[in-house]
C-alpha cells in the first residue's frame, strides 16, 4: 500500500490482559475471519451486479460470537441453566451512491412480511460453530447475494417512487468516513459459572416459607461477545463486549386479586464487579419486605393531580422511558411516492433543535467514554460503536435548549455526521447525565419540604413521592413470563406502573400506597421540573431499542445504558389507581411454604 494511503488509516489497539478465560477458545482465529471477509468483499465489489442495475457501492460484514451463560433459581432450586455460544452473521449492501441509495425508504412488503422462507437470511444469520476460511466464505457469499438482491429491489422501488414527488429531503443518504482499523479486545478475569449458579440458589432461598408470595425468581446472566467487522471503505475492527447481571423478582395478589410486584437488578460488564453476597442478600430481603408491606396498604380514592417528587431509581426510569428516547436522530422516510414520517413514537425532537425542551437550569450530556461515576460502574461505556466510529461526548441540551441529537452515519438536516452512537443497530444514548444548576438543587429533606409547600399552596390534602418505578425490561421479560401474563394487568401504553409510592402529609408523615400508575407523562412534562436534588444517582439499565430490534433487524431488543440524575420535583402530574378488570387470585392457598 502506498504511503499516502497508509496515512489515512488510523490504527488503535487496546489489549487488556487480566487472566485467561476458557470462553476465549470459542472465538475463531481473527486472521482467518478477516481474510475470509476481505476476500469475499473484494470479489463482491468487483463482480456482483444485476442486469440494468448498478453494482454495490458499499458492503459491510459483521460476525458476532455471542456467549450465553444463563441460570434461573426458584426457592433454592435451579430450574434453568444454559451455557452456549452462537455465531451470528450480519451483511449490509448499499446500492446507488452516498447521495442516493436504497436506504431511508419504507418498503411496505418487507416491513410487514420480511423475506420469504426460501430466501437466504442476511441479518441475524446463524452459521456453523466450526468456522474455517471455506465455511465463512460460503456463508458470506450466500448472505451477500441475498442482501444485494433485496437492496437492488428496494433501490428500484425508491427510484420509481421519487418520480411522483417533489423531494424536500435532498441531503445524502449516507455519510462518508475515513478508513480506520481498531482492535479493542479485553480478557475478563477467570469466570466460574458454577459459582454464580450456587449464588442464585442461595439468594432464592430467602423466598422460602412465605405463602404471601405467589412466585419469585432469581436470574444470573453473562454474555461475553466478540465482534469482527469489515466494510468496503477500509473500516475494520475487532472488539469485545461484556454484560452480566443478577435480577430478582417477586409477585403476589391481594385478596381482591390486585397484582403486586417488586424487582431488583444489578448489572456490570465483569461478573466479578457485581455486588457482594451480603449486599445481594440485603437487596433480596428489601424487596420481600416491600412486597409484603404493600399488600394491605390502601390505594388512591381519587386521581391525584399535583406536584410529584421522583427520587433515585424512579427519576432515572422515567427519563429512560419518556425523555431520553427522543434524543435520537431519525431520518424521515419515503414510501410509494409519499413521505411516511419518522417511523417512531419518540420523534418529538426531530425538528426541535434550537428549541427549549427543559427548564433553563437543566443540561443533558451523553458521554460513552466514562467508565465510572464516582465508585459506581457505568453500563453505557464503550469505545467503538457498531459502525467502527469512536464515540463522542455530546452536549444534547444546554441550559434547557436542544443543541443536537445522537446519530449514526445516516445524516439528518441538523446532524450531518455520525457522533458514534450506533449500538444494537440504532443510535441510542449511553451514559446520559441529567445535570442541574447548583442554584436549583436542594437536599432530600429540602425537596420534601418544597413539595409540601406546593401542596399547601394548592390546598391539596397530601403530596406524592415516588421512589421506585416498574423497570420496562424486567416487566417485559422476567415478570411477564413468570406470572403467566397476570402482570399484564399493569400494562398500558399511556401510563407507567409505580412500585413504591407514598402519600406525604403536611406533618411529614408518609403513607405507602399500592396499585397506582403515572398517567400521560410526556417529553413536555419535563419542562415542568421545578427543582433537583443535590446528589446524583446512577440508574444502570437495559434500555429498550427505539427501533424495536425485532424481525428483520440486525440489532438487539435491549441495550446497556446508564442514566445519571438527581431527584426531580415536577410541578404537576397525574397519578391514579390502576382501574381495570382484576385477574382472580388462585382459589387454593400456596402449597409451597417451607
Amino acid at each position: 500500500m502506498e504511503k499516502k494511503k497508509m496515512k489515512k488509516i488510523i490504527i488503535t489497539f487496546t489489549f487488556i490482559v487480566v487472566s485467561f478465560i476458557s470462553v476465549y477458545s470459542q472465538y475463531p482465529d481473527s486472521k482467518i475471519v478477516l481474510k475470509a471477509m476481505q476476500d469475499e468483499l473484494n470479489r463482491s465489489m468487483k463482480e456482483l451486479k444485476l442486469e440494468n442495475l448498478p453494482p454495490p457501492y458499499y458492503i459491510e460484514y459483521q460476525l458476532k460470537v455471542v456467549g450465553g451463560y444463563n441460570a434461573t433459581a426458584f426457592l433454592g432450586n435451579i430450574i434453568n441453566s444454559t451455557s452456549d455460544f452462537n455465531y451470528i452473521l450480519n451483511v449490509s449492501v448499499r446500492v446507488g451512491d452516498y447521495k442516493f441509495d436504497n436506504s431511508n425508504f419504507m418498503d411496505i412488503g418487507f416491513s410487514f412480511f420480511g423475506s420469504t422462507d426460501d430466501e437466504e437470511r442476511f441479518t441475524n444469520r446463524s452459521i456453523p460453530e466450526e468456522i474455517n476460511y471455506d465455511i465463512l466464505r460460503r456463508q458470506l457469499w450466500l448472505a451477500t447475494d441475498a442482501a444485494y438482491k433485496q437492496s437492488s429491489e428496494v433501490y428500484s422501488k425508491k427510484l420509481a417512487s421519487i418520480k411522483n414527488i417533489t423531494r424536500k429531503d435532498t441531503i445524502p443518504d449516507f455519510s462518508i468516513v475515513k478508513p480506520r482499523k481498531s482492535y479493542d479486545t479485553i480478557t475478563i478475569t477467570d469466570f466460574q459459572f458454577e459459582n454464580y449458579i450456587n449464588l442464585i440458589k442461595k439468594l432464592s432461598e430467602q423466598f422460602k416459607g412465605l405463602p404471601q408470595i405467589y412466585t419469585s425468581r432469581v436470574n444470573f446472566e453473562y454474555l461475553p461477545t466478540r465482534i469482527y467487522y469489515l466494510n468496503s471503505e477500509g473500516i475494520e475492527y475487532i472488539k469485545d463486549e461484556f454484560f452480566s447481571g443478577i435480577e430478582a423478582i417477586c409477585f403476589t395478589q391481594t385478596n381482591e386479586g390486585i397484582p403486586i410486584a417488586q424487582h431488583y437488578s444489578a448489572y456490570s460488564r465483569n461478573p466479578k464487579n457485581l455486588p457482594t453476597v451480603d449486599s445481594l442478600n440485603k437487596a433480596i430481603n428489601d424487596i420481600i419486605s416491600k412486597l409484603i408491606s404493600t399488600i394491605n396498604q390502601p390505594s388512591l380514592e381519587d386521581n391525584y393531580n399535583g406536584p410529584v417528587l421522583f427520587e433515585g431509581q424512579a427519576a432515572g426510569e422515567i427519563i429512560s422511558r419518556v425523555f431520553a428516547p427522543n434524543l435520537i436522530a431519525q431520518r424521515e422516510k419515503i414510501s410509494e411516492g409519499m413521505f411516511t414520517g419518522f417511523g417512531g413514537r419518540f420523534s418529538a425532537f426531530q425538528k426541535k433543535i434550537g428549541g427549549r425542551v427543559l427548564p433553563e437550569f437543566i443540561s443533558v450530556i451523553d458521554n460513552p467514554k466514562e467508565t465510572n461515576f464516582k465508585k459506581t460502574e457505568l453500563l453505557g461505556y464503550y469505545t467503538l460503536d457498531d459502525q467502527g466510529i469512536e464515540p463522542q461526548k455530546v452536549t444534547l441540551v444546554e441550559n434547557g435548549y436542544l443543541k443536537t441529537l445522537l446519530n449514526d452515519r445516516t445524516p439528518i438536516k441538523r446532524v450531518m455526521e455520525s457522533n458514534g452512537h450506533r449500538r444494537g443497530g440504532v443510535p441510542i444514548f449511553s451514559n446520559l447525565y441529567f445535570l442541574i444548576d447548583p442554584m436549583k438543587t436542594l437536599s432530600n429533606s429540602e425537596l420534601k419540604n418544597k413539595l409540601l409547600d406546593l401542596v399547601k399552596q394548592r390546598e391539596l390534602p397530601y403530596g406524592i413521592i415516588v421512589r421506585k418505578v416498574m423497570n420496562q425490561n424486567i416487566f417485559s421479560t422476567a415478570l411477564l413470563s413468570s406470572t403467566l401474563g397476570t402482570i399484564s394487568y399493569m400494562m398500558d401504553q399511556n401510563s407507567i406502573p409505580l412500585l413504591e409510592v407514598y402519600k406525604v402529609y403536611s406533618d411529614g408523615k408518609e403513607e405507602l400506597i399500592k396499585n397506582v400508575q403515572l398517567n400521560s407523562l410526556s417529553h413536555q412534562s419535563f419542562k415542568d421540573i421545578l427543582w433537583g436534588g443535590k446528589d446524583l444517582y446512577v440508574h444502570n439499565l437495559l434500555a429498550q431499542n427505539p427501533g424495536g430490534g425485532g424481525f428483520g433487524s440486525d440489532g438487539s431488543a435491549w441495550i446497556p445504558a446508564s442514566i445519571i440524575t438527581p431527584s426531580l420535583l415536577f410541578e404537576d402530574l397525574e397519578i391514579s389507581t390502576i382501574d381495570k378488570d382484576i385477574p382472580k387470585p388462585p382459589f387454593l392457598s400456596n402449597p409451597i411454604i417451607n
Side-chain angles (χ1 to χ4, degrees):
M1 186 180 290
E2 296 176 3
K3 290 184 178 180
K4 289 184 179 179
K5 291 183 179 179
M6 288 294 292
K7 288 181 180 180
K8 292 181 180 179
I9 298 178
I10 305 170
I11 300 178
T12 63
F13 192 92
T14 305
F15 193 81
I16 303 173
V17 178
V18 183
S19 67
F20 179 75
I21 179 170
S22 62
V23 298
Y24 286 85
S25 63
Q26 301 286 341
Y27 296 152
D29 188 291
S30 300
K31 292 181 180 179
I32 292 174
V33 171
L34 293 175
K35 179 171 173 52
M37 285 181 167
Q38 189 67 67
D39 289 350
E40 189 58 33
L41 190 149
N42 290 342
R43 186 172 77 113
S44 297
M45 290 296 292
K46 183 179 179 180
E47 301 178 13
L48 192 58
K49 188 181 187 305
L50 289 174
E51 187 178 358
N52 301 321
L53 285 172
Y57 81 93
Y58 172 90
I59 297 176
E60 72 175 19
Y61 293 150
Q62 181 199 71
L63 173 65
K64 299 176 73 172
V65 182
V66 183
Y69 296 87
N70 195 300
T72 303
F74 171 65
L75 301 183
N77 300 288
I78 296 297
I79 59 175
N80 176 60
S81 176
T82 59
S83 59
D84 58 14
F85 275 75
N86 294 301
Y87 298 74
I88 301 167
L89 184 64
N90 289 299
V91 172
S92 176
V93 174
R94 289 176 178 261
V95 174
D97 55 37
Y98 287 94
K99 292 183 179 179
F100 183 88
D101 64 19
N102 54 285
S103 66
N104 306 315
F105 178 79
M106 180 180 288
D107 185 289
I108 303 300
F110 289 128
S111 297
F112 283 95
F113 305 110
S115 301
T116 59
D117 291 338
D118 59 351
E119 291 181 342
E120 295 284 350
R121 290 185 65 94
F122 54 88
T123 59
N124 286 324
R125 178 188 179 95
S126 295
I127 65 174
E129 296 181 17
E130 295 296 328
I131 293 179
N132 58 36
Y133 176 84
D134 293 332
I135 288 174
L136 187 53
R137 278 292 297 270
R138 182 177 183 276
Q139 293 292 331
L140 289 166
W141 162 56
L142 294 172
T144 305
D145 185 76
Y148 177 59
K149 288 173 181 175
Q150 186 178 110
S151 296
S152 297
E153 183 178 344
V154 173
Y155 180 72
S156 297
K157 290 181 179 180
K158 186 176 177 181
L159 277 175
S161 71
I162 66 169
K163 294 178 181 179
N164 301 316
I165 62 173
T166 301
R167 292 180 67 200
K168 58 181 181 179
D169 181 356
T170 57
I171 63 174
D173 280 333
F174 202 45
S175 62
I176 299 173
V177 298
K178 294 179 180 180
R180 177 189 179 93
K181 293 186 178 182
S182 304
Y183 306 94
D184 186 2
T185 55
I186 305 170
T187 302
I188 294 294
T189 53
D190 184 38
F191 169 70
Q192 299 294 329
F193 190 28
E194 189 66 28
N195 292 343
Y196 295 93
I197 290 176
N198 292 331
L199 171 62
I200 63 171
K201 284 175 65 175
K202 290 290 186 182
L203 292 175
S204 68
E205 286 179 353
Q206 291 195 59
F207 295 101
K208 280 186 173 182
L210 299 171
Q212 310 98 312
I213 298 177
Y214 288 177
T215 190
S216 62
R217 295 288 189 277
V218 182
N219 183 73
F220 169 78
E221 188 173 45
Y222 176 46
L223 305 175
T225 302
R226 175 161 289 182
I227 304 172
Y228 306 80
Y229 177 95
L230 184 69
N231 72 18
S232 54
E233 299 166 322
I235 294 181
E236 173 187 308
Y237 69 75
I238 304 172
K239 67 174 180 176
D240 287 338
E241 295 179 346
F242 298 93
F243 170 81
S244 66
I246 290 177
E247 295 176 349
I249 61 161
C250 50
F251 171 83
T252 191
Q253 288 178 261
T254 66
N255 292 334
E256 299 81 17
I258 296 171
I260 299 174
Q262 270 291 343
H263 61 67
Y264 166 79
S265 61
Y267 305 117
S268 173
R269 289 185 297 279
N270 187 337
K272 286 201 170 184
N273 291 336
L274 290 169
T276 64
V277 175
D278 287 344
S279 295
L280 290 169
N281 277 318
K282 183 179 178 181
I284 300 297
N285 183 65
D286 182 62
I287 64 171
I288 290 172
S289 299
K290 290 283 171 48
L291 185 80
I292 293 174
S293 63
T294 304
I295 294 173
N296 296 318
Q297 298 300 322
S299 187
L300 290 173
E301 301 81 12
D302 300 305
N303 283 13
Y304 173 86
N305 288 276
V308 178
L309 174 60
F310 294 89
E311 295 182 351
Q313 183 268 2
E317 188 67 27
I318 62 169
I319 291 171
S320 70
R321 276 180 173 241
V322 180
F323 188 84
N326 288 288
L327 297 169
I328 296 160
Q330 300 177 44
R331 180 72 171 266
E332 190 171 13
K333 299 181 184 295
I334 58 173
S335 175
E336 305 299 330
M338 67 172 66
F339 284 89
T340 61
F342 297 104
R345 62 192 181 101
F346 298 113
S347 57
F349 295 166
Q350 299 309 304
K351 297 182 179 180
K352 194 74 173 176
I353 294 177
R356 188 170 72 84
V357 296
L358 286 169
E360 294 185 3
F361 55 83
I362 299 181
S363 296
V364 179
I365 295 171
D366 190 274
N367 190 358
K369 294 183 178 182
E370 290 290 335
T371 59
N372 294 77
F373 178 76
K374 296 183 179 179
K375 294 183 179 180
T376 304
E377 180 181 3
L378 297 180
L379 205 61
Y381 165 80
Y382 63 99
T383 59
L384 291 172
D385 80 346
D386 287 357
Q387 295 172 326
I389 308 298
E390 184 178 353
Q392 300 173 20
K393 177 182 178 180
V394 180
T395 298
L396 294 158
V397 180
E398 187 172 25
N399 299 327
Y401 289 85
L402 185 67
K403 307 297 290 185
T404 189
L405 297 169
L406 301 173
N407 202 20
D408 58 12
R409 292 183 61 184
T410 300
I412 64 172
K413 288 184 178 180
R414 301 291 295 274
V415 191
M416 293 294 290
E417 296 181 352
S418 172
N419 45 41
H421 280 78
R422 185 178 180 88
R423 292 186 301 142
V426 293
I428 191 168
F429 56 93
S430 57
N431 297 322
L432 196 72
Y433 291 77
F434 227 66
L435 303 175
I436 296 185
D437 186 323
M439 297 298 293
K440 292 292 291 184
T441 62
L442 301 169
S443 67
N444 290 340
S445 59
E446 290 171 333
L447 278 173
K448 184 176 178 180
N449 289 334
K450 185 65 68 174
L451 169 70
L452 292 175
D453 288 344
L454 293 169
V455 166
K456 184 177 180 181
Q457 291 171 21
R458 294 180 56 172
E459 299 182 344
L460 296 171
Y462 54 83
I464 292 286
I465 295 178
V466 181
R467 295 201 170 106
K468 194 167 188 179
V469 171
M470 177 74 77
N471 176 265
Q472 200 168 13
N473 169 256
I474 294 177
F475 177 87
S476 302
T477 54
L479 274 167
L480 203 57
S481 61
S482 297
T483 64
L484 302 177
T486 303
I487 198 72
S488 61
Y489 167 79
M490 296 182 176
M491 188 182 295
D492 189 329
Q493 187 173 354
N494 297 317
S495 63
I496 299 174
L498 308 177
L499 298 184
E500 193 178 337
V501 186
Y502 297 84
K503 288 181 178 179
V504 186
Y505 296 96
S506 57
D507 60 359
K509 178 185 175 183
E510 298 181 6
E511 179 185 25
L512 181 65
I513 57 177
K514 68 170 181 281
N515 192 40
V516 290
Q517 63 188 5
L518 178 62
N519 298 324
S520 303
L521 182 71
S522 72
H523 66 280
Q524 293 178 324
S525 306
F526 284 76
K527 289 184 178 181
D528 294 332
I529 296 173
L530 298 176
W531 295 88
K534 289 185 179 295
D535 299 323
L536 293 176
Y537 175 88
V538 177
H539 180 46
N540 283 324
L541 74 156
L542 291 171
Q544 187 173 30
N545 183 324
F551 181 81
S553 166
D554 62 354
S556 307
W558 304 95
I559 302 169
S562 300
I563 306 286
I564 303 94
T565 180
S567 297
L568 301 172
L569 176 59
F570 285 74
E571 182 177 15
D572 190 83
L573 292 174
E574 179 185 349
I575 292 176
S576 68
T577 298
I578 303 176
D579 188 16
K580 298 179 182 177
D581 291 337
I582 298 174
K584 290 183 178 180
F587 291 108
L588 296 176
S589 61
N590 188 348
I592 306 175
I593 59 174
N594 297 311

